[in-house]
């Protein structure tokens, strides 16, 4: 099946710094990628939809200047948490849809961000 | 608008007994429905999906779900629970329109399997 990877799997950063999370589709081209946030013992919340070569579409309440998304190629999307604060600590998960016409999403393993 | 409600936040069963995880959905059009499983600190794995074909959907690891339009339900079942089934389960509906790919997640159900 299709594989999506995320890097890093976990990261600890100091408050005020920025951190970049990568999401890669390893064996298919992803025309669309999604970024989710998951708080402990809660469901996934969609943050934004990322289409290759265009600006990301953010969900209501998600600050686009804080969560910068870049989808520069058909296999890579990045999420940069700028000026991170402890409340940004969360589990970030990406998913990807292939360009084959299927709308099935393939999920990455997630990135655990801890801001101290 | 589309929404999905998982009726139980926590389900506990004994190993070898049946599993039932309940899900109700709301959709203004014919929905696509999914069940995903998430093990601790892991990503999501697709168990099964319904996309307007057969109403009884068989998935991986012995799980199946039945789409009942009259009841707006898509409950997940398994005849015999295994210890490795202990995880978080999410019922998911495709959102907004049928071709955006957006997913709406339920609140999740924690399945505990006792020896």
């Amino acid at each position: 099946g299709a594989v999506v990877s995320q890097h890093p799997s976990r990261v600890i950063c100091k408050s005020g710094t920025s951190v970049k999370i990568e999401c890669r589709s390893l064996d298919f081209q992803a025309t669309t990628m999604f970024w989710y946030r998951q708080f402990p013992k809660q469901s996934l919340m969609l943050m934004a939809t990322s289409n290759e070569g265009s600006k990301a579409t953010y969900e209501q309440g998600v600050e686009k200047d804080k969560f910068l998304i870049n989808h520069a190629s058909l296999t890579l999307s990045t999420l940069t948490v700028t000026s991170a604060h402890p409340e940004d600590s969360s589990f970030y998960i990406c998913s990807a849809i292939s360009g084959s016409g299927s709308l099935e999403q393939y999920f990455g393993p997630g990135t655990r961000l801890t801001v101290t | 608008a589309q929404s999905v409600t998982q009726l139980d936040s926590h389900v506990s069963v004994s190993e070898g007994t049946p599993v039932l995880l309940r899900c109700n959905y709301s959709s203004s059009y014919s929905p696509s429905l999914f069940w995903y499983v998430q093990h601790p600190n892991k990503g999501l794995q697709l168990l099964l999906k319904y996309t307007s074909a057969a109403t009884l959907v068989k998935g991986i690891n012995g799980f199946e779900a039945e789409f009942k339009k009259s009841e707006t339900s898509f409950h997940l079942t398994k005849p015999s629970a295994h210890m490795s089934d202990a995880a978080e389960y999410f019922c998911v509906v495709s959102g907004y329109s049928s071709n955006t790919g957006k997913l709406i997640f339920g609140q999740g159900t924690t399945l505990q399997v006792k020896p």
Side-chain angles (χ1 to χ4, degrees):
Chain A
V3 178
V4 175
S5 70
Q6 282 185 240
H7 177 78
S9 58
R10 57 179 63 233
V11 57
I12 301 172
C13 70
K14 292 186 176 180
S15 187
T17 62
S18 296
V19 61
K20 180 185 288 187
I21 302 170
E22 294 185 346
C23 176
R24 293 183 184 273
S25 56
L26 298 184
D27 49 1
F28 66 100
Q29 292 186 325
T31 53
T32 303
M33 289 183 168
F34 300 88
W35 286 96
Y36 297 85
R37 183 174 182 176
Q38 184 180 30
F39 290 104
K41 299 193 182 300
Q42 293 189 27
S43 189
L44 277 71
M45 181 188 74
L46 179 64
M47 299 174 66
T49 303
S50 168
N51 291 298
E52 186 268 338
S54 62
K55 290 184 178 180
T57 302
Y58 291 81
E59 296 299 303
Q60 191 173 12
V62 178
E63 300 176 59
K64 62 180 181 181
D65 294 330
K66 179 162 187 64
F67 298 100
L68 300 179
I69 292 173
N70 184 280
H71 193 160
S73 78
L74 285 172
T75 59
L76 173 64
S77 176
T78 60
L79 168 67
T80 300
V81 183
T82 63
S83 185
H85 288 93
E87 57 265 31
D88 298 325
S89 298
S90 192
F91 196 51
Y92 292 88
I93 301 175
C94 73
S95 69
I97 292 178
S98 74
S100 65
S102 166
L103 292 180
E104 181 171 343
Q105 289 191 29
Y106 301 96
F107 286 82
T111 296
R112 172 75 60 194
L113 170 63
T114 303
V115 184
T116 61
Chain B
Q2 285 66 48
S3 68
V4 61
T5 302
Q6 291 181 242
L7 301 173
D8 307 291
S9 60
H10 188 99
V11 170
S12 181
V13 301
S14 297
E15 188 176 21
T17 64
V19 175
L20 170 64
L21 304 183
R22 299 183 294 165
C23 173
N24 286 110
Y25 70 92
S26 172
S27 178
S28 55
Y29 60 90
S30 183
S32 292
L33 291 158
F34 310 80
W35 275 97
Y36 284 88
V37 61
Q38 184 182 33
H39 288 91
N41 294 310
K42 300 289 186 183
L44 279 79
Q45 181 182 21
L46 179 66
L47 283 176
L48 48 81
K49 63 180 177 181
Y50 166 78
T51 54
S52 75
T55 56
L56 181 62
V57 182
K58 293 187 183 297
I60 62 172
N61 301 335
F63 285 95
E64 62 181 40
E66 186 172 7
F67 174 74
K68 291 187 176 180
K69 186 175 181 179
S70 61
E71 300 177 8
T72 60
S73 70
F74 190 58
H75 301 335
L76 181 70
T77 61
K78 182 174 180 177
S80 176
H82 191 273
M83 295 298 292
S84 60
D85 294 328
E88 190 78 12
Y89 291 80
F90 293 99
C91 182
V92 181
V93 65
S94 56
Y96 306 142
S97 68
S98 61
N99 61 359
T100 65
K102 285 188 175 180
L103 299 179
I104 306 296
F105 280 75
Q107 301 91 325
T109 298
T110 302
L111 176 63
Q112 180 186 20
V113 182
K114 296 178 288 187

